[in-house]
Amino acid sequence: LHHAKAAGRDTHRFYAEAMNAEAVAHLSTRSGLRRALERGEFLIHYQPQVSLETGAVTGAEALVRWNHPDKGMVPPGDFIPIAEDSGLIVPIGAWVLTEACRQAAQWHAQGLALSVAVNLSALQLQRSDLVRTVTGALSDSGLDPLLLELELTESMLIQNTDVVMDNLRRIKAMGVQVSIDDFGTGYSNLSYIGRLAVDKLKIDRGFVADLTRNHDSAKITAAVIQMAHSLNLTAVAEGVEDAETLEALRGLNCDFAQGYFLGRPGPAEAVERAARQVNPFKVGV
Ligand code: C2E
Ligand code: MG
Ligand code: MG
Ligand code: MG
């Protein structure tokens, strides 16, 4: 009995310590994030988006990274959820938007009319100052609104509050493009697509990745592309990792693609170099 009690205490202490460590890690990431904003530790990697018709790079997705002084490059999956919980995603997201617009305007000034896609968090879309932030990023950079694209997820459109609907209407009215990210993984209430005048569906890489091996994934991808086209939307495939998948997507008349096979996320200069090549990825050759 004595032993069992001691073991119980130890187990309890073990869990308490583990929880404490997690809470501390969370807190330190939280204060770390605040410091990172002040010290300029965030940076953006850009992943090229390629036209499946021409093989040309037509734009890039902005993907934030945290260059941590001790931990090195921290991927967004490790800090975006904490940034969302703490509300810090709002200033971080505003920074990403501003910086991505500046970069796309610079590309444009260099003769490259590349679009830039920026991921939004639910919290940003729920705030009444989103339109002001977007307008600010566009006017500071001088970027043509048509070259800015905002990526939302299906779950963000479920809470169709007045603020969210108003934000989307006003963003669309500026000429900014709107796409649905990770399409097919969320709560599939398709009624919002027509109503919200979305421009693009980005097919989740979960379907694209095993397209050539899994019959269901192939069927779903084909159906999403068909649906997009019948609604006058553009279809983008995420997560293209090999030539066979690329060919299959061309066969399905998918419009654009993104993925490691076409280019990993990296510095803006890599996108620039790829965009200057005549037939950068030898699509269809
Ligand atoms: P996402 O928007 O769906 O971005 C695509 C993710 O898939 C990126 O991961 C990208 O590096 C990865 N990816 C691209 N091609 C391939 C491929 O061929 N194979 C595989 N396995 N993966 C591929 P990353 O950069 O780690 O970003 C993860 C997520 O973090 C993003 O998913 C997005 O939801 C979020 N995120 C990134 N930047 C931001 C941001 O600035 N704001 C917000 N709110 N979220 C962001
Ligand atoms: Mg995205
Ligand atoms: Mg995605
Ligand atoms: Mg994703």
Side-chain angles (χ1 to χ4, degrees), residues 181-182 204 238:
D181 204 355
D182 307 334
D204 190 71
E238 304 189 280

Side-chain angles (χ1 to χ4, degrees), residues 187-203:
Y187 172 71
S188 293
N189 177 351
L190 299 176
S191 65
Y192 68 83
I193 293 175
R195 205 177 54 221
L196 295 176
V198 155
D199 302 286
K200 272 188 189 179
L201 299 183
K202 296 189 73 175
I203 308 163

Side-chain angles (χ1 to χ4, degrees), residues 58-130:
T58 55
E61 177 173 3
L63 295 158
V64 71
R65 268 94 183 96
W66 178 8
N67 191 7
H68 192 281
D70 311 319
K71 295 178 205 157
M73 212 63 90
V74 184
D78 289 359
F79 66 87
I80 292 280
I82 297 164
E84 284 172 339
D85 285 350
S86 60
L88 282 168
I89 193 62
V90 173
I92 295 171
W95 179 83
V96 172
L97 198 56
T98 304
E99 176 56 22
C101 287
R102 188 203 59 73
Q103 181 59 63
Q106 186 182 318
W107 283 330
H108 198 256
Q110 293 167 350
L112 296 167
L114 299 172
S115 63
V116 73
V118 175
N119 293 282
L120 285 191
S121 278
L123 192 58
Q124 291 173 278
L125 191 62
Q126 286 158 5
R127 286 175 59 105
S128 54
D129 60 2
L130 176 68

Side-chain angles (χ1 to χ4, degrees), residues 125-149:
L125 191 62
Q126 286 158 5
R127 286 175 59 105
S128 54
D129 60 2
L130 176 68
V131 171
R132 202 179 340 129
T133 305
V134 174
T135 311
L138 288 170
S139 60
D140 286 356
S141 60
L143 182 69
D144 182 342
L146 289 170
L147 292 175
L148 175 63
E149 189 179 310

